[in-house]
Each structure stands twice: as C-alpha cells, then as structure tokens.
Amino acid sequence: MARRGSTDDYNGIKRKSGYQRGRKRFNEILMVNLSRLAVAFIIMVIMVILGYIILQGLPQFTWEFLSQPPRHGMLEGGVAPAIAGTVMVVGLMMIFALPVGMFAAIYLTHYAHPRLQYIVHIAVQNLAGVPSIVYGLFGLGFFVLLLGNAFGWEACMFTAALTLSILVLPTVIITTEEAIKACPLEYQEAAYALGANKWTVMKEVVLPYSLPGMLTGAILSIGRGAGETAPIIFTGAAFYMAEIPNSIFDQFMELSYHIWAMATQSYNPTEATPIVYGTAMVLLMIVLTMDAAAIMLRRRFRSRMRG
Amino acid sequence: MRNEREGGPGVKFRGLINRITGQPVTTTLIAAESLAIIAIVLEGPGPGVLAIAGAVMLLGCFILRKQFVNHSPRTIFLWQLAGGLLLFIGLLAPGVFTTVTDATGAGMTVLVFPPATGEVVLPSGDTVPLGTSVTDGINKSWLMLAVLPSVWLLWTLLFNLYPTATRNRLVNTPAIIGTAAVLLVTLWGPGMEASVFLLFAGIMVVGINFFVERFIALMGMVAILAIAAIFFVMLKDGLPFLFENRDPLFFFTGNLWYPTSEPPLFGLLPLVHGTLLVTLIAMAIGVPISIGAAIYIGEFASRREREILKPVIEILAGIPSVILGVFAMMFLAGVWAGIFNTSFLLNAWNGGFILAVMLFPIITSISEDAINAVPKHLRESAYALGATRWEVARMVVLPAAFSGIASAVLLGLARCIGETMAVLMATGNAKVLHFDIFQPVQTMTATIAIEMGEVPFGSLHYQSLFMLGILLLSITVVVNIVADRIISKYREVGY
C-alpha cells in the first residue's frame, strides 16, 4: 500500500488513495463555502446598513421634511435649505470639474508626451488617494485664506465647490480616460486618412463615441461630491442659514454636513436622532440614484462597445 | 477640390482667404460670427446697424459656403473683407459718432475726428462742449479703429510667415509670446474690449483649433498643478510649526496632545496610535473577508450570481462615509455593547469595524479584477491535471494575481489611514495611548476635523494641525506610489 501523499500504482494506473481524495473534497468544499460565507457576510452587512437607515429614516421622509426649513432649534421642520445647498454646491463643482477633467483626459490620452503622461498619471493617482480632510485643509489654506485674502472672499459656496472639484477631478479624469481609450483605433485612423486635424478627429470621432463613458464618470463624481463632508467643513458649509444662499459667495447648508452636525453637535441628541436618519435617507436616495444611473449607463456603454 | 478650396490642414492652401487666415473658411466665419453677436449684444442697435450688416454678410458667407465652393476664392475673400470691414466700423462707430444737442435744442449726430478736444464745432458754426468721458471714448474708438486692423494684419503675417512645422507645434513659443504681447498691449492701451476683440480676431487668424489644442494642454497640467498646490499649501502652513515650536522633537515622540494647556503640548503619539490601532483592526477584519469574497466572485460564482453581487458591492462603495459613521455610532455601538459587554460605547473596535466595512468594496473589486486578469489557460491546465476548484484558486490563481491583490490591500490601507468622518463619529475621540480595543481612541484625521474649527489662523495649534496633514499626505502618497509600482510591475509580467 502506498504511503499517504503519494500515488498508488494499482494495475498500472496511478491514482490518489481514497483518503487523499476525501481530504481534497473536504478542503474544497470547506474553502469554497468559507469564501461564500465571506460574500454572504458582506452582503448581509450592506443589507443591514441600508435596511436600518431606510427603516429609521422612512418615517421622516415626508413632503414637509423635504420642503421646509429647520425650525425650533433645528429639531423640527425639514432640510430643504440643505437639499438646495447640496444641489447648488454640487452643480458648481461640476461646472469647475467637468471641463477641466475632460480636457485633461483628452490631453493625457492624445496629446501628451509619454513621459509627461507618466507624470500626470502619477499625479492623478496621488490626487485620488489624498485623504478628504487634507483636501479640507488645502481648501482652507489655499482657496479661503490665500486666494480669499487676495481677492476678498471668505469661506463660501465658491471655495467649497472649488475644493470639491479638486477632490472629484481624479475620478472624472480616470473615467474619461478609460472612455476615450475605448474608442477603436480604426475609427480614428480612418478619420486621419481622410485628412482630418487632430482636434477634428477628437471632436467628430472620439468624443461622440466616448460620451456615455464620460457621462458615467460625471454621474459617479456627482455622487461622490454630494457625500463628502470633510472638505466642506472649513470651506463654507454652515450649520444653520436663515435662507437659501443668494450668491455663490454665501455660506450654505449641506446634507452630509447636516447629518454630521446634528449627530455630533446637537444639544438634544434624542430629538435630533430622527432628523439625522431622515437626512441620511435623503442623502442616500440621492447618492444611490446617481450610482444606479451610472451603473446602468456603464452597462449599456459596455454592451455597445462589444457589439 | 473642396478640401483644397477650404484649405484643409495638411493640404497646400490655395485660396487667398486661406493664405491670409491660414484656416478653413468655415472656421473664420464662425469666429467672425461670434464676434458680430458679441458686438451687437454690447453695442445695441443704432450705429450698430453697420455691425449687424457686416454680421449678416459674414453669416451669409457661412450659410452659403457650400455654394461658394464653385466660386473662386477671391469672391469669398471679397465678401469676407466687406463683411469684416462693416463689422469693424459698426463696432467702433458708436464711439466716433456722437450725439450732441445744438443751441436750438435739436439733437444731431456728428462725426468727431481725433484728437477730440473738449468741444466740437457744428456745421452751423456753434461750438458745443463735450464731457471728458465722451472725448476719452471718442479717442479710444479712433485708436481702436486705427490700431486693430493693422495689429490683426501684422499678427496674421507673423503667424503665416513661420514654417508650418514650427507653426503647428503644441508649445509654439513665438505664437504664444506674440499673442500674449498683443493682448497685454491692447489691455493697457485701448482697454479690455480691444483685448477681447483681438482674441476673437486671433481665432479668425489662426483658427479655433490652435486655441482649443493649447487650452487642452493647459487643462492637462491641472492635475499636476493641483497636487503641487496641495503640497505647497500644506508645507507652507505646516512646516513653520517645526521652527516656532520650542521642542519639535516632542511632536514625534511625545505622548500628550493637549494644545490648549499652558504650555501647549503637541505630542502626536496618541493620535498615531489611534490611527494605527483602528487601521490594524480594519485590515484584520477587512482583508481576509474581502479577498475571500473576491475569490468567490472571481472563481466560484456563476455568471448570474456575479451579475447580482458586483453591483451590490458597488453600492456599498457609494455610501457616504457620514452615513456609515452615523450607523456605527448609533446602531453598531449598541450591538457591540450587547455582545462584548464593553464599558465604553464608542471605541476602537467600533471604528475598526466600520472602516473594514468601507474597505470591502475597494479590496474586493480590485482583487477581483486581478483574479479575472489571470489567463484562462493557467487555470485550465490545472483543472486538466485534476485539481479541485480550491486547489486551482490557491496554487494557480492567487499567486498569479498576488501583486494585484497586494496593491488592492495597499490602496485599502491608504483609505483607512485617511478616513475622517466615519472614525470621527465611531471611535469616541479620547487621546489616550492604550491597547484595549474596547476603549476610545482618536485618530489623526479626527483630530484635524475636531480642532480646526476653533483654531486661530496662524497660531502654533493651526500649524500643528497642518503638520498632521503633511504626515497623512506623505503616508498616503508613499503608499499610493508603492501600490502603483506594484500594479505596473504586475502589468509588465505580460498579462
């Protein structure tokens, strides 16, 4: 009889013993199910988080909550100014980030020298990894203090949007880059063969092809920008504003900041808790809608690419 | 051929108009059109009717360009010349025509020639006084009328005299210097309207492509500029701390962070310890589970399972960190108190767990990409030799995908270290150095978030917080560079 771990030569056919085969089968079933357990754990965590927030937040999700400003020491009423502030600051952020990011990606893919491409690629990767609180410090030190003292503005929606746009820039650049790189070389070469300019090829061939991908990146960054709190704490978000800001140089209320402030700095935590959950649910709705739209767009874009 | 008539780039220009403008007719027309629209918006009707006439002529050229193809370039040129002249005059006419009222009280429009003095002599013989602003405007308009066409012609000649190779380079120094000089001179002299006008005239001269491509190049630099600016601001506001503090070494070795005591103590060991403890817990929980999940999704899951699992995990990636922090603070803390019977509700374990939750999507998705990138033939040969699924995963796929997984883990590490809001709400924020995971800690990021609001600008405390930021930035940059190196080395192996 062969020893454990070796093959048995039986009738000229080599095979492992029944013990070894049983062990392999057991190990395989064990590890496959362990990894299945890992996935199940993650899914369970997601369900619990989403379920709990929605469960606690749904009672507050009334029309009054969405359209009324907070009253009574922020413990009653709604979060309408925060919603408006979020929409405004995210819109402003997209106005800054989208053109810059898209043109930067166009430059990176088509115009840049390979060495420059590498440097910019490193710069973008590092920008993507900077902690959000460091963005907040940067926004404070640069936009609010340095530029603010030079041009005469203080912490306001403008500076917050600038800070958020730099936060979001790597996402836009990377997704746009991927979208542009996905355009088949044959289409571009055909356009060049017809005598087109570099920019003309970009404008007529590449950009229309990659528009869905760019849109995905834009929507993803909207979701990201709406959910970030740390960059805007010092660069313009306010705990309470009597009315919706009239100009971009006013402070503003924002949903994620509102969640944080009500959760940690309210003077009546028990009464503030429903407001926190309600606001969290509003923010979650917005972000999840954006993400779902981006995922659907990306799926359609990928199927078009393949087909 | 149409392309030659239009003067497509890369083709030898034939027509006169193309020789002068260097660009296809359509581009010139579009630029001129926008100019006309701006002029009409700024000047309004009146003498601006000349501008409108010029704009209409140019618009006609643009609309009828397809019909113009069969005419000689000279016709197009004459139309454009006429339209452009009318445009010029129409733009500047309101400046040189002035409305005055004579002795009888009737208003009349007179053409005032330079130099405009403080009064004008009417044909009837009366002299009417003019205000200084009016005379200034008249002189400026005549200046523009005289200067701008000649500058435009000069610029065109200069630009077109250059050989094509030099002209089409992306960083075309002579053109850039010339453009900048022209714009600055007109900004200083005739004023901002002249500069805007010349900018659009420049578009007419060199074509929109030139400006678009250089604008793109400028945008491409923005990413580099942004990261450089971040470093610059952090160093500028944080480094002085090391010089103004009487004991900078204490910053790195001291274990008390009491910025408001007398004298203030800035020892960051408790904060670093908080970050490290929370990170350790998060990685210990998050990495095995994430990699296990990635293996399942990449190796063992059926296509239908994969289609459901991947979006669900991406949903987790999209949840804002404040919401996770609220969840940890208000729900999870109670759960842990029930299970482990802790004495502190908010503690390091809570923070570590919620950070692990934030790690799941990052590590899982990148690892799964790495696992998918392993070539099929490796797996198939292992299966052919009789390996089970787990054996294939362990002995073939994981070693092959190892660098991708390693970089995923590193990126997760960077995220852990840099996360602010979730740990701010979940860890309890006590700046104490201890090793009990069920007691509160405070991370570096939370310190910055808490204390920045109440700090006077420029003070030692302010600078110490920026020093913390520098530390965080350096750590994440190093980790990102290492992860990027690993990814690129992994790509070199030939996948």
Side-chain angles (χ1 to χ4, degrees):
Chain A
M1 207 46 176
R3 292 215 315 268
R4 258 198 309 188
S6 62
T7 48
D8 185 18
D9 194 359
Y10 182 76
N11 275 352
I13 301 173
K14 285 197 187 304
R15 56 167 49 158
K16 297 254 187 222
S17 72
Y19 167 79
Q20 293 157 348
R21 275 182 276 137
R23 217 175 85 173
K24 275 171 173 271
R25 193 170 295 152
F26 172 73
N27 271 335
E28 197 226 340
I29 294 182
L30 176 72
M31 295 314 287
V32 169
N33 282 316
L34 266 186
S35 54
R36 195 175 271 154
L37 192 68
V39 176
F41 180 72
I42 297 182
I43 304 288
M44 182 194 79
V45 163
I46 298 176
M47 292 296 154
V48 165
I49 294 178
L50 289 180
Y52 186 72
I53 300 275
I54 293 180
L55 210 69
Q56 296 277 0
L58 209 52
Q60 280 83 34
F61 201 70
T62 61
W63 180 247
E64 190 218 343
F65 189 70
L66 294 176
S67 61
Q68 294 291 331
R71 292 192 301 267
H72 226 209
M74 309 280 277
L75 296 174
E76 279 178 31
V79 287
I83 299 179
T86 309
V87 169
M88 287 166 87
V89 82
V90 167
L92 204 57
M93 164 192 92
M94 291 318 282
I95 292 179
F96 293 140
L98 220 50
V100 173
M102 287 184 177
F103 282 120
I106 294 176
Y107 177 74
L108 266 184
T109 47
H110 281 248
Y111 288 91
H113 192 257
R115 216 166 356 130
L116 198 59
Q117 255 178 15
Y118 179 66
I119 297 179
V120 178
H121 175 73
I122 295 262
V124 168
Q125 294 281 20
N126 283 323
L127 263 186
V130 170
S132 46
I133 193 72
V134 174
Y135 276 118
L137 283 180
F138 168 68
L140 179 68
F142 188 68
F143 293 122
V144 176
L145 295 173
L146 203 73
L147 293 187
N149 285 334
F151 293 111
W153 61 65
E154 334 172 305
C156 55
M157 195 186 300
F158 182 63
T159 52
L162 281 173
T163 315
L164 280 178
S165 65
I166 299 195
L167 184 93
V168 151
L169 202 60
T171 314
V172 176
I173 292 182
I174 292 177
T175 37
T176 311
E177 219 184 326
E178 279 178 22
I180 292 180
K181 278 194 188 149
C183 182
L185 215 52
E186 294 92 37
Y187 291 9
Q188 300 176 44
E189 288 173 352
Y192 280 118
L194 291 172
N197 207 352
K198 197 166 201 171
W199 169 244
T200 311
V201 170
M202 290 262 16
K203 187 170 67 120
E204 303 287 343
V205 176
V206 180
L207 288 186
Y209 189 89
S210 28
L211 219 51
M214 291 194 204
L215 208 58
T216 314
I219 296 179
L220 277 176
S221 50
I222 288 182
R224 177 113 192 262
E228 284 286 343
T229 327
I232 56 174
I233 298 180
F234 319 122
T235 52
F239 186 42
Y240 176 70
M241 292 289 289
E243 49 181 21
I244 299 178
N246 291 324
S247 85
I248 62 173
F249 293 108
D250 289 338
Q251 295 196 327
F252 60 102
M253 285 175 76
E254 217 243 11
L255 282 173
S256 47
Y257 184 83
H258 198 72
I259 297 176
W260 175 63
M262 293 300 284
T264 53
Q265 292 165 19
S266 171
Y267 56 82
N268 193 343
T270 26
E271 282 201 32
T273 309
I275 309 259
V276 169
Y277 283 120
T279 325
M281 178 142 157
V282 173
L283 184 60
L284 207 59
M285 291 282 117
I286 295 179
V287 169
L288 288 185
T289 318
M290 291 287 141
D291 281 345
I295 290 179
M296 283 197 305
L297 249 185
R298 202 195 311 166
R299 192 168 295 181
R300 202 142 58 106
F301 170 55
R302 285 228 178 104
S303 69
R304 180 171 70 137
M305 237 168 68
R306 248 181 263 130
Chain B
M1 248 142 285
R2 178 157 182 244
N3 216 14
E4 284 178 343
R5 282 280 161 85
E6 287 249 67
V11 176
K12 212 165 172 197
F13 297 147
R14 289 284 192 81
L16 201 57
I17 189 80
N18 300 123
R19 275 193 201 280
I20 288 193
T21 64
Q23 284 302 315
V25 170
T26 45
T27 318
T28 316
L29 287 176
I30 291 175
E33 245 336 281
S34 346
L35 200 53
I37 293 173
I38 292 181
I40 294 170
V41 164
L42 286 179
E43 308 277 5
V49 75
L50 283 178
I52 297 179
V56 166
M57 283 182 78
L58 292 175
L59 186 62
C61 291
F62 178 67
I63 292 177
L64 299 172
R65 70 189 185 281
K66 286 195 165 55
Q67 279 79 7
F68 268 127
V69 162
N70 296 319
H71 295 256
S72 72
R74 192 179 314 147
T75 320
I76 309 174
F77 170 61
L78 289 175
W79 273 81
Q80 285 199 320
L81 190 63
L85 274 177
L86 284 180
L87 194 59
F88 261 119
I89 299 177
L91 278 180
L92 304 166
V96 304
F97 284 93
T98 326
T99 314
V100 292
T101 52
D102 64 357
T104 61
M108 54 186 300
T109 312
V110 288
L111 178 66
V112 182
F113 288 98
T117 52
E119 52 188 27
V120 63
V121 182
L122 295 176
S124 56
D126 307 318
T127 49
V128 178
L130 293 173
T132 32
S133 65
V134 179
T135 47
D136 279 347
I138 292 176
N139 284 329
K140 197 161 97 163
S141 300
W142 277 107
L143 189 64
M144 278 170 64
L145 198 60
V147 162
L148 290 185
S150 22
V151 172
W152 184 15
L153 257 148
L154 204 64
W155 192 2
T156 317
L157 282 171
L158 207 68
F159 192 72
N160 278 296
L161 280 177
Y162 266 91
T164 318
T166 317
R167 206 187 307 154
N168 287 334
R169 276 195 310 206
L170 193 64
V171 182
N172 188 344
T173 325
I176 293 178
I177 293 182
T179 316
V182 159
L183 286 176
L184 283 173
V185 162
T186 49
L187 200 65
W188 164 70
M192 190 160 70
E193 307 97 2
S195 288
V196 170
F197 188 90
L198 268 185
L199 192 63
F200 274 81
I203 296 180
M204 273 202 266
V205 168
V206 306
I208 194 87
N209 285 9
F210 181 82
F211 288 96
V212 165
E213 289 187 344
R214 271 118 199 112
F215 178 71
I216 290 178
L218 187 65
M219 291 295 119
M221 297 300 152
V222 168
I224 303 183
L225 289 177
I227 192 90
I230 292 182
F231 270 105
F232 169 68
V233 166
M234 301 300 293
L235 290 173
K236 161 180 162 304
D237 278 337
L239 275 187
F241 174 79
L242 292 177
F243 303 120
E244 287 182 25
N245 196 3
R246 45 187 183 76
D247 190 7
L249 204 60
F250 185 74
F251 182 71
F252 296 101
T253 58
N255 61 349
L256 294 170
W257 182 273
Y258 288 120
T260 45
S261 68
E262 222 24 76
L265 294 168
F266 296 108
L268 56 53
L269 277 190
L271 311 177
V272 170
H273 173 78
T275 306
L276 285 181
L277 194 61
V278 158
T279 305
L280 202 68
I281 298 175
M283 304 288 278
I285 304 174
V287 168
I289 297 184
S290 303
I291 297 185
I295 294 176
Y296 182 77
I297 297 179
E299 282 290 306
F300 308 140
S302 65
R303 170 173 297 183
R304 212 157 36 124
E305 281 179 332
R306 207 173 296 166
E307 276 182 11
I308 301 178
L309 288 175
K310 288 203 73 168
V312 170
I313 296 189
E314 280 189 36
I315 289 181
L316 183 57
I319 299 184
S321 47
V322 258
I323 295 188
L324 291 173
V326 161
F327 178 73
M329 187 170 92
M330 296 191 173
F331 179 67
L332 275 185
V335 168
W336 307 132
I339 298 180
F340 299 113
N341 211 9
T342 62
S343 41
F344 291 98
L345 198 61
L346 299 176
N347 44 46
W349 168 259
N350 198 10
F353 188 81
I354 200 69
L355 266 191
V357 170
M358 297 177 79
L359 277 187
F360 289 151
I362 301 175
I363 301 184
T364 308
S365 63
I366 301 183
S367 303
E368 198 249 328
D369 284 343
I371 288 176
N372 272 335
V374 174
K376 275 179 100 172
H377 60 80
L378 287 179
R379 281 200 201 93
E380 286 170 355
S381 27
Y383 280 124
L385 289 172
T388 62
R389 286 181 299 175
W390 168 246
E391 280 179 345
V392 171
R394 178 168 69 103
M395 295 188 224
V396 175
V397 175
L398 277 188
F402 179 72
S403 26
I405 297 180
S407 71
V409 168
L410 280 174
L411 286 174
L413 175 72
R415 180 79 198 270
C416 270
I417 293 180
E419 175 55 39
T420 314
M421 297 314 294
V423 290
L424 179 59
M425 301 169 98
T427 54
N429 298 323
K431 298 172 280 205
V432 185
L433 207 82
H434 58 73
F435 289 95
D436 183 8
I437 61 173
F438 290 114
Q439 286 190 25
V441 294
Q442 184 164 323
T443 61
M444 292 192 280
T445 50
T447 313
I448 301 178
I450 293 176
E451 299 184 3
M452 201 62 193
E454 338 158 316
V455 136
F457 166 61
S459 67
L460 201 62
H461 192 184
Y462 174 88
Q463 290 166 349
S464 69
L465 293 178
F466 269 86
M467 272 302 289
L468 282 180
I470 294 176
L471 214 61
L472 284 168
L473 189 60
S474 331
I475 296 176
T476 36
V477 162
V478 163
V479 170
N480 270 308
I481 290 187
V482 170
D484 192 64
R485 273 290 170 78
I486 293 182
I487 282 192
S488 52
K489 209 160 62 139
Y490 147 78
R491 287 225 185 100
E492 268 174 32
V493 178
Y495 297 147

